[in-house]
């Protein structure tokens, strides 16, 4: 098996753990720490996810700019594991922890509506009678709310690719700057009490996409560019613009570290990419443990239990679901030789 030669698996796993730690405070009824009053450490981790996603998915489009294959790859990466965790939450955990009897539970419209999360355009958070007495009541899998946002930006990228915007990287840069000007200048994201999450995380996604499009500009001078990003990000933070500072200072260093090949960090991919599984299972695991164990006792013990159970679920998700789903991407090329024999042409997907 060929293991990754970069650090991206390690970064994604670290971001997933950051989300878990951030949620542990909230789900136990404790104060969650934040950055500049606008971003929690969990939100920072989601920003990291979106940066890496924008970078790698743009790379995928550049390697194979075919709309149908692009959409199939994205679907295979997200939907199968999401379907499994949704079914586990609704059909295994839900009836076990619910205050309702089986008949009332399964006949509830709320149970049926929970599966609308599988549309990838919206998320249902509650199941009938589930986690009603937890410190953070009723939310079954709160982490999933970012998935429709990510899918939306996948589609934006696909449209940009089809329209040729990704071949005109200066046009892509202009679009990014226009959105940033609106978000921070007109919408006033730093002070607006209503978060525009789609634009906020979308900017991080687009920053990753731009770093891919302009890779030739920074690849030979990543240390200098990374230092400048941190410098100007620091200036923005000192000026009180923490969100803008994050957008300036975070994407570059994250991608530069991810593109590096550090012996210890790159080895995190040997057991598979369990970051997505950790992300989609952590909240459900944590809520279930809080329901079962309560919130008494040392915070560290609760955190350790959540990490261990989530890690096991993520490992199983990768090996039993995600890896097998992703293997379907290579099914079509196996028949390329037949197409070549019949038509004399070569399938560009091979």
């Amino acid at each position: 098996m060929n293991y990754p030669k970069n650090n991206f698996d390690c970064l994604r796993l670290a971001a997933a753990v950051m989300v878990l730690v951030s949620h542990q405070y909230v789900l136990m009824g404790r104060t969650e720490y934040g950055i500049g009053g606008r971003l929690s450490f969990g939100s920072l981790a989601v920003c990291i996810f979106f940066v890496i996603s924008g970078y790698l998915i743009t790379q995928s489009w550049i390697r194979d700019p075919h709309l149908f294959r692009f959409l199939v790859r994205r679907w295979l990466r997200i939907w199968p594991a999401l379907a499994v965790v949704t079914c586990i939450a609704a059909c295994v955990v839900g009836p076990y922890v619910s205050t309702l009897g089986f008949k009332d539970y399964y006949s509830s419209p709320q149970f049926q509506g929970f599966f609308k999360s599988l549309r990838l355009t919206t998320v249902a958070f509650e199941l009938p009678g589930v986690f009603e007495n937890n410190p953070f009541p009723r939310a079954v899998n709160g982490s999933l709310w970012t998935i429709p946002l990510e899918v939306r930006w996948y589609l934006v990228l696909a449209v940009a690719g089809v329209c040729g915007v990704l071949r005109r990287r200066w046009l892509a840069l202009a679009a990014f700057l226009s959105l940033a000007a609106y978000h921070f200048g007109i919408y006033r994201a730093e002070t607006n009490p209503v978060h525009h999450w789609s634009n906020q995380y979308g900017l991080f996604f687009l920053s990753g996409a731009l770093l891919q499009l302009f890779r030739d500009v920074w690849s030979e001078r990543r240390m200098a560019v990374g230092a400048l990003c941190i410098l100007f990000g620091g200036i923005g933070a000192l000026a009180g613009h923490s969100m803008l500072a994050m957008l300036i200072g975070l994407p570059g260093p994250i991608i530069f570290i991810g593109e590096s090949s550090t012996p210890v960090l790159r080895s995190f991919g040997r057991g598979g990419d369990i970051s997505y599984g950790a992300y989609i299972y952590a909240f459900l695991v944590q809520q279930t443990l809080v329901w079962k164990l309560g919130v008494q006792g040392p915070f560290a013990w609760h955190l350790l239990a959540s990490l261990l159970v989530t890690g096991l679920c993520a490992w199983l998700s990768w090996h039993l679901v995600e890896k097998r789903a992703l293997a379907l991407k290579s099914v079509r090329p196996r028949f390329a030789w037949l197409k070549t024999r019949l038509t004399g042409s070569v399938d560009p997907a091979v």
Side-chain angles (χ1 to χ4, degrees), residues 12 53 56-82 120 147 150-151 154-155 157-158 166 273 276 318 321-334 347-350:
R12 283 191 293 243
S53 180
L56 295 179
I57 290 172
T58 302
Q59 182 183 72
S60 175
W61 177 271
I62 292 171
R63 289 176 175 175
D64 182 18
H66 187 282
L67 180 61
F68 178 74
R69 289 193 292 269
F70 175 84
L71 295 177
V72 167
R73 291 187 188 107
R74 306 286 73 76
W75 186 85
L76 288 173
R77 186 66 187 98
I78 292 177
W79 194 87
L82 176 64
L120 300 180
I147 290 180
E150 185 154 5
V151 169
Y154 289 171
L155 297 176
L157 183 70
L166 300 184
D273 181 8
Y276 179 57
W318 170 256
V321 182
E322 297 168 56
K323 184 169 68 172
R324 299 186 181 195
L326 291 173
L328 296 177
K329 294 190 300 183
S330 61
V331 169
R332 185 168 174 262
R334 293 175 185 173
D347 193 330
V350 178

Side-chain angles (χ1 to χ4, degrees), residues 38-182:
R38 300 290 287 179
L39 286 173
S40 67
F41 284 105
S43 297
L44 170 61
V46 175
C47 292
I48 293 173
F49 276 127
F50 272 78
V51 170
I52 295 174
S53 180
Y55 183 79
L56 295 179
I57 290 172
T58 302
Q59 182 183 72
S60 175
W61 177 271
I62 292 171
R63 289 176 175 175
D64 182 18
H66 187 282
L67 180 61
F68 178 74
R69 289 193 292 269
F70 175 84
L71 295 177
V72 167
R73 291 187 188 107
R74 306 286 73 76
W75 186 85
L76 288 173
R77 186 66 187 98
I78 292 177
W79 194 87
L82 176 64
V84 172
V85 73
T86 300
C87 290
I88 289 175
C91 301
V92 179
V93 177
Y96 176 67
V97 306
S98 178
T99 57
L100 303 180
F102 279 11
K103 182 178 179 181
D104 291 336
Y105 176 83
Y106 284 111
S107 63
S108 171
Q110 202 171 45
F111 168 78
Q112 299 165 19
F114 189 74
F115 291 92
K116 69 182 182 181
S117 297
L118 300 184
R119 302 173 188 170
L120 300 180
T121 57
T122 186
V123 178
F125 294 107
E126 298 182 9
L127 283 167
V130 173
F131 301 139
E132 287 187 341
N133 298 316
N134 280 21
F136 196 85
R138 294 182 294 279
V140 176
N141 202 340
S143 297
L144 301 187
W145 72 275
T146 62
I147 290 180
L149 300 186
E150 185 154 5
V151 169
R152 184 179 307 168
W153 285 101
Y154 289 171
L155 297 176
V156 169
L157 183 70
V159 171
V162 170
C163 295
V165 175
L166 300 184
R167 295 196 302 270
R168 300 171 178 83
R169 60 187 186 179
W170 294 104
L171 182 59
L173 176 60
F176 169 81
L177 293 175
S178 298
L179 179 60
Y182 165 78

Side-chain angles (χ1 to χ4, degrees), residues 8 23 42 57 60 94 126 137 149 214 229 232 290 293 298 324 336 338:
F8 281 120
H23 285 166
I57 290 172
S60 175
E126 298 182 9
L149 300 186
F214 285 88
C229 290
F232 286 111
V290 168
L293 304 176
R324 299 186 181 195
L338 179 60

Side-chain angles (χ1 to χ4, degrees), residues 1-21:
M1 179 177 179
N2 293 323
Y3 300 113
K5 297 180 180 179
N6 54 51
N7 301 331
F8 281 120
D9 282 345
C10 177
L11 288 178
R12 283 191 293 243
L13 183 57
V17 172
M18 287 173 63
V19 172
L20 185 152
V21 173

